[in-house]
């Protein structure tokens, strides 16, 4: 029997939690509930869930801080849910390492669909032929697709799954210029409706993790007026 996918729901509003829980369990997920940030961190460390649904407005430890701490230890997919609807709030959520962001009030069916999409995207790189290692820049930059990791000068860059998918997609076609919409398609799996500049948050994060000097990027290069391209040179 296939093991149920496990989602950790961290939200301090019991009514919302019960609705999310009911819809996810009906869809086949196993759920764990935490009503505050400290408990959420504890369950995250104990249970190693496949997905986290995280509210930003939490008692105790704020959701932003909790997301940051989880990202320091894991690349588990994170969907943020919040009443904060401004563009800057969404961008900040992505800076912290969220894989998706949904604003309250939302449709429970949409949340379930997004949960599947995030989980599926995380699994595709392993399941559909991205199982080997690719080396660039004389071994200075190595992609381990099986583990979804990028090794920079022998050290794990600690990319999130979203960051890995962006950089990996670009590395396959080093001379191709990717628009923001192109990159969001690789991340979301569908054509994104909204401000494609949200991708810039991920680009900034990646540069700080893989570049010697993020202000003079050589791996993830800006093409002015067009988008970005991969600047690494493949070994072998």
């Amino acid at each position: 029997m296939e093991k149920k996918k496990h989602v950790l729901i961290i939200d301090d509003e019991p009514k919302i939690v019960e609705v999310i829980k009911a819809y996810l369990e009906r869809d086949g997920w196993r759920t764990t509930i935490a009503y505050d940030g400290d408990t959420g961190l504890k369950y995250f460390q104990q249970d190693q869930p496949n997905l986290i649904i995280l509210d930003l407005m939490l008692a105790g430890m704020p959701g932003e801080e909790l997301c940051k701490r989880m990202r320091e230890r894991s690349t588990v997919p994170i969907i943020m849910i919040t009443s904060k609807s401004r563009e800057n709030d969404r961008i900040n959520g992505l800076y912290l390492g969220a894989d998706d962001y949904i604003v309250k009030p939302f449709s429970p069916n949409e949340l379930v669909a997004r949960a599947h999409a995030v989980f599926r995207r995380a699994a595709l790189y392993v399941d559909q032929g991205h199982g080997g290692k690719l080396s660039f820049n004389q071994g200075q930059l190595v992609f381990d697709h099986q583990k979804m990791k990028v090794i920079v000068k022998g050290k794990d860059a600690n990319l999130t799954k979203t960051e890995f998918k962006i950089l990996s997609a670009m590395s396959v076609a080093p001379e191709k210029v990717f628009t923001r919409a192109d990159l969001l398609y690789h991340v979301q799996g569908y054509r994104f409706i909204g401000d494609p500049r949200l991708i810039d948050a991920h680009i900034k994060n990646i540069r700080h993790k893989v570049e010697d000097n993020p202000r003079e990027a050589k791996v993830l290069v800006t093409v002015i007026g067009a988008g970005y391209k991969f600047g690494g040179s493949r070994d072998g």
Side-chain angles (χ1 to χ4, degrees):
M1 180 180 295
E2 182 181 356
K3 186 177 180 180
K4 285 187 177 181
K5 298 183 291 291
H6 180 200
V7 56
L8 171 60
I9 304 167
I10 309 173
D11 194 311
D12 62 358
E13 297 186 60
K15 291 183 178 179
I16 291 178
V17 168
E18 287 305 311
V19 171
I20 295 173
K21 180 176 184 292
Y23 273 76
L24 286 169
E25 289 185 349
R26 187 178 65 183
D27 197 65
W29 294 77
R30 179 168 65 90
T31 62
T32 298
I33 308 299
Y35 292 102
D36 61 78
D38 295 310
T39 304
L41 181 60
K42 175 183 175 182
Y43 289 165
F44 160 73
Q45 294 169 336
Q46 290 179 348
D47 299 339
Q48 297 183 335
N50 305 116
L51 172 69
I52 294 170
I53 295 175
L54 173 64
D55 184 19
L56 292 185
M57 305 293 286
L58 294 172
M61 185 188 304
E64 290 90 346
E65 176 64 22
L66 178 54
C67 182
K68 181 179 177 182
R69 292 197 186 187
M70 291 190 292
R71 269 291 165 259
E72 290 172 350
R73 307 182 186 193
S74 173
T75 59
V76 61
I78 298 174
I79 299 176
M80 286 184 172
I81 55 174
T82 181
S83 57
K84 297 180 178 180
S85 59
R86 295 180 305 172
E87 179 182 304
N88 284 343
D89 293 321
R90 298 195 302 272
I91 291 173
N92 287 337
L94 296 174
Y95 275 137
L96 291 168
D99 295 273
D100 204 350
Y101 193 108
I102 188 167
V103 178
K104 297 178 180 178
F106 54 84
S107 161
N109 284 323
E110 179 185 359
L111 179 59
V112 171
R114 289 186 182 227
H116 275 290
V118 167
F119 184 81
R120 183 174 62 250
R121 293 195 302 269
L124 277 177
Y125 273 83
V126 175
D127 294 341
Q128 295 189 356
H130 297 270
K133 291 184 178 181
L134 291 178
S135 178
F136 296 85
N137 299 347
Q138 299 181 330
Q140 297 295 297
L141 183 68
V142 178
F143 288 78
D144 186 335
H145 288 94
Q146 187 68 35
K147 297 180 180 179
M148 294 188 72
K149 289 185 176 183
V150 170
I151 309 301
V152 179
K153 297 181 179 179
K155 296 183 179 180
D156 187 353
N158 292 314
L159 298 186
T160 69
K161 283 186 171 66
T162 296
E163 292 163 2
F164 179 87
K165 284 180 281 187
I166 290 170
L167 193 58
S168 178
M170 296 176 70
S171 72
V172 175
E175 298 305 315
K176 175 181 172 62
V177 177
F178 289 80
T179 67
R180 292 179 176 91
D182 289 335
L183 293 174
L184 280 166
Y185 178 78
H186 283 286
V187 171
Q188 301 289 356
Y190 55 86
R191 285 298 171 192
F192 181 76
I193 300 174
D195 187 351
R197 288 176 296 176
L198 292 175
I199 200 69
D200 293 343
H202 293 305
I203 296 296
K204 182 176 181 180
N205 279 354
I206 295 170
R207 282 177 168 163
H208 277 285
K209 295 177 181 180
V210 306
E211 301 279 5
D212 290 332
N213 182 356
R215 294 181 179 273
E216 298 179 5
K218 296 181 179 180
V219 175
L220 215 170
V221 181
T222 298
V223 180
I224 297 174
Y228 304 96
K229 71 176 183 178
F230 182 76
S233 177
R234 185 168 175 176
D235 300 336

